[in-house]
Amino acid sequence: MRLWQSPTDFTSASGQLIVKIISISTGLPVQKVPGINPAQPSSDMGRAAILYVNEIIYPILAAFGIPANVLTAVILHRGKCGLSRGITRYMVAMAISDLLVIILHVLLREIYIYYVPNSFLSLSAVCPSNVYLRIVTVDYSVWLTVSFTFDRFVSICCPKLRLIYCTDRTAAAVIVSMCALCCIKYIPFNFMYESRFTVDSVKWGCRPKPAYFTSIWWVAFSWMCSISLSFLPFLLVLLFNGLTVRNIVAASRVRRRLKALDGKDTETENRTKSIILLFTVSGAYILLWATSTVTYISTRVTVNFVGGDQTSPSYIANDVGVLLMRISSCANTCIYGMTQSRFRQEVKNAVRYLTGAISKPVKLARQWSGTRVEM
């Protein structure tokens, strides 16, 4: 049973803000150990329905998301989908980052730590690194989506800059730079925790040090996390997709007026497909991140804390937002990839290859067993 730490030790407004950003951004669990946290409830009374939903959805998400992102990365890396090398680099990086999000957030935290709360991942020496990796991977995944959106914006709306920016080398530089930046800006997470309790000389769990709740620098860092992880990417995706769609619509109107076409126009149809793709991608991102973003905003405005009451609206909204945020790790790559006909064909070829590779040993085993029976 997962329990959130009660903010009884940190009652200040800044302390509540910091606990909130930690709980939402990292999903830091609080392990229940008999005799250590007697104030925490031990029964399932008042348990929210969202927790039962999580127990069903997260295994499904891991079972689908891990092979889907691996298959996507492999197919795109082969370069047979008709995409430019720059776009291919972005999409492969997005698939790998989403794969890491599913492994660290879903497979390890929501499944392994959920059912094995006193595992080695709960040791005080491991817990801070685990939290650090989780927030770095989700932030990297988000900013790769923003980078790819900006690349498409430049390609469509800025013809002169496109020749310089939309290249294979620039894409590689942006991907590496984003990775380095995400790793650097969250380094303080490695130093903000202390052990929660000690059992038989072994330190377990991790919680923020009290000094960080009174430090103005730590409050500023928590605001940086909020802006970097939710506010700014959300606004940039809206901005770049809106400008791109406006440019496509304007260009299509000019083309119709100049040519006065009455029949079919292949280029116009391609532009329409681009608009549909943009609306689909931006709409999925906005919908899946909207709950988390609203939770951030309400927390910053009301200085509210997601406590241990699993039936409270704030607790349910937090869990729903985190769930949708992790579902986006599957949606992003699927939307970008499945809209490409060549990608779908490569998926079919991969499925046929795997089916053949599995069926051959089965046929050989049957033939071998039949030969032994005849003998």
Side-chain angles (χ1 to χ4, degrees), residues 89-279:
R89 283 188 182 274
Y90 278 116
M91 296 185 67
V92 170
M94 290 169 59
I96 294 175
S97 65
D98 289 343
L99 175 63
L100 293 176
V101 170
I102 294 176
I103 291 175
L104 292 173
H105 285 257
V106 178
L107 186 62
L108 291 183
R109 183 194 180 272
E110 298 296 343
I111 298 178
Y112 182 72
I113 295 180
Y114 184 91
Y115 292 104
V116 189
N118 297 323
S119 66
F120 74 97
L121 293 176
S122 300
L123 293 172
S124 298
V126 180
C127 181
S129 299
N130 189 19
V131 174
Y132 170 75
L133 290 175
R134 286 205 298 267
I135 191 170
V136 167
T137 52
V138 71
D139 188 68
Y140 185 49
S141 176
V142 168
W143 280 101
L144 280 177
T145 303
V146 176
S147 300
F148 185 40
T149 305
F150 179 72
D151 182 87
R152 291 186 296 111
F153 163 74
V154 172
S155 177
I156 296 175
C157 302
C158 308
K160 295 181 179 179
L161 183 60
R162 176 178 57 191
L163 300 176
I164 302 174
Y165 185 82
C166 300
T167 62
D168 179 33
R169 181 175 298 180
T170 301
V174 170
I175 292 169
V176 174
S177 300
M178 283 295 175
C179 181
L181 183 60
C182 291
C183 292
I184 291 173
K185 66 183 177 182
Y186 292 111
I187 286 179
F189 272 94
N190 289 302
F191 305 100
M192 61 168 286
Y193 293 107
E194 64 182 5
S195 62
R196 187 179 299 279
F197 48 80
T198 303
V199 179
D200 296 332
S201 301
V202 179
K203 295 182 178 181
W204 291 91
C206 57
R207 63 181 177 184
K209 297 177 182 178
Y212 286 101
F213 292 88
T214 57
S215 171
I216 188 174
W217 298 108
W218 178 241
V219 174
F221 176 74
S222 69
W223 272 97
M224 186 276 291
C225 292
S226 296
I227 295 172
S228 174
L229 191 61
S230 182
F231 297 151
L232 188 58
F234 197 81
L235 294 176
L236 289 178
V237 168
L238 281 175
L239 176 63
F240 293 142
N241 278 283
L243 293 175
T244 304
V245 170
R246 187 184 69 172
N247 183 275
I248 291 176
V249 172
S252 298
R253 289 176 179 174
V254 172
R255 181 177 175 82
R256 290 195 188 98
R257 289 174 182 175
L258 291 176
K259 289 194 173 184
L261 295 174
D262 296 327
K264 288 187 176 181
D265 184 5
T266 304
E267 185 173 344
T268 302
E269 292 179 357
N270 291 335
R271 290 181 181 274
T272 303
K273 293 179 181 179
S274 299
I275 295 175
I276 295 174
L277 174 61
L278 290 176
F279 272 123

Side-chain angles (χ1 to χ4, degrees), residues 1 26 149-150 164 307-308 326 329 364:
M1 179 178 179
T26 67
T149 305
F150 179 72
I164 302 174
R326 289 163 182 169
S329 296
L364 292 175

Side-chain angles (χ1 to χ4, degrees), residues 67-68 71-72 74-75 78 338 343-359:
L71 182 63
T72 300
V74 172
I75 290 177
R78 297 180 63 190
M338 292 302 178
F343 181 87
R344 293 195 298 270
Q345 185 60 43
E346 288 295 319
V347 171
K348 293 178 182 178
N349 295 338
V351 172
R352 291 170 185 170
Y353 175 79
L354 292 175
T355 304
I358 295 174
S359 62

Side-chain angles (χ1 to χ4, degrees), residues 1 24 70 73 86 121 124 138 157 207 242 267 282 284 289 297 305 313 362-363 368 374:
M1 179 178 179
I24 296 180
V70 170
L121 293 176
S124 298
V138 71
C157 302
R207 63 181 177 184
E267 185 173 344
S282 59
W289 275 84
I297 296 174
F305 178 80
V362 174
K363 291 180 180 179
W368 182 73
E374 292 178 358

Side-chain angles (χ1 to χ4, degrees), residues 10 18 32 50 58 92 146 176 242 284 299 303 336 346 364 372:
F10 312 106
I18 296 167
K32 180 176 179 291
I50 184 61
Y58 280 126
V92 170
V146 176
V176 174
T299 301
V303 195
Y336 281 118
E346 288 295 319
L364 292 175
R372 288 190 61 184

